[in-house]
Amino acid sequence: KTVKTIFKIMEQQPFDAKVLTSACGLITNLAYDEKIAAELVEHAGVSYIVRAMREHQNSSHLQRNASAALSNLSACTGFVSQLVCSLGVEQLFAALQNHHNDTDVTQLANGALYSISVYARQSSLHVAAAFCDSIIVRQVLLKNWNECMNVNLLDSLHETPLHAAAKAIVSVYRSNGVNSDEMAQRLDVFQYLIAAGGDIQCKNESSQTALSILRDNIFIDIENDDL
């Protein structure tokens, strides 16, 4: 009941920064309890928090509380999917840019990003390509088109989402080999991105294409095993 009440208030008062700041602070504290944290995510709590960040980008107090709330929810099932579908990765980077002189905002926003293994300046589509299934990737891609972005958006390492998908395939391969449900999911994402216009010729700062990442880290191993 408490969880639903918080989100109802946030929905009714979307332009009241003080109310939303308090709500994000309350979510931060409630999320220390794993069961309540799971309930918060289940009721689309991540989307509410990101929406508040987007509406009040100049409020350092709100950005601070919202980043802390996201960090505390990051271990929950469904967190990454909600974050990327609401373009929350972009909002966390916006908080870092707009409040770079605020140590608390910087630490908390970075903490939220690090909790989902985002270490470079990436987009929600990059994160979705690495961690989510093709259904979520499609949803994010559609949102990104609306934001004037595209499937070949470059991150700070000059990598596209297709590079992120390739690296995720390598990671799964090293953990579980080629025959697993997770590998099938990662390959499905890779194929979907190519079908959506992903540039297989684009090179990152190390002159690697997405295909060369797969070739150098997987195909060579398989060939050696066959010798």
Side-chain angles (χ1 to χ4, degrees), residues 45-121:
V46 177
S47 300
Y48 281 102
I49 296 167
V50 173
R51 190 182 309 160
M53 295 178 76
R54 185 176 293 113
E55 291 292 343
H56 303 280
Q57 297 196 40
N58 293 326
S59 172
S60 60
H61 196 182
L62 185 145
Q63 299 296 322
R64 190 180 309 134
N65 284 7
S67 296
L70 291 175
S71 184
N72 284 3
L73 294 172
S74 63
C76 297
T77 301
F79 171 82
V80 175
S81 296
Q82 279 191 40
L83 185 71
V84 297
C85 283
S86 58
L87 302 185
V89 175
E90 285 78 1
Q91 288 308 308
L92 286 165
F93 278 119
L96 288 171
Q97 180 176 339
N98 296 333
H99 304 279
H100 59 276
N101 290 323
D102 188 313
T103 303
D104 290 335
V105 173
T106 300
Q107 290 180 343
L108 291 167
N110 274 323
L113 290 166
Y114 293 162
S115 68
I116 55 171
S117 302
V118 176
Y119 304 105
R121 182 65 184 262

Side-chain angles (χ1 to χ4, degrees), residues 119-122 154-160 167 203-206:
Y119 304 105
R121 182 65 184 262
Q122 296 180 313
L154 297 175
D155 66 12
S156 59
L157 299 178
H158 206 268
E159 293 188 339
T160 66
K167 289 184 174 181
K203 295 182 179 181
N204 61 16
E205 290 183 343
S206 301

Side-chain angles (χ1 to χ4, degrees), residues 13 18-20 34 38 42 46 68 73 75 83 87 109 112 126 139 147 157-158 169 174 176 184 205 209 225:
Q13 304 290 334
K18 290 184 178 180
V19 169
L20 295 178
E34 291 183 5
E42 182 181 348
V46 177
L73 294 172
L83 185 71
L87 302 185
H126 285 84
Q139 291 178 18
E147 294 286 331
L157 299 178
H158 206 268
I169 291 172
R174 289 174 175 169
N176 303 318
E205 290 183 343
T209 66
D225 286 344

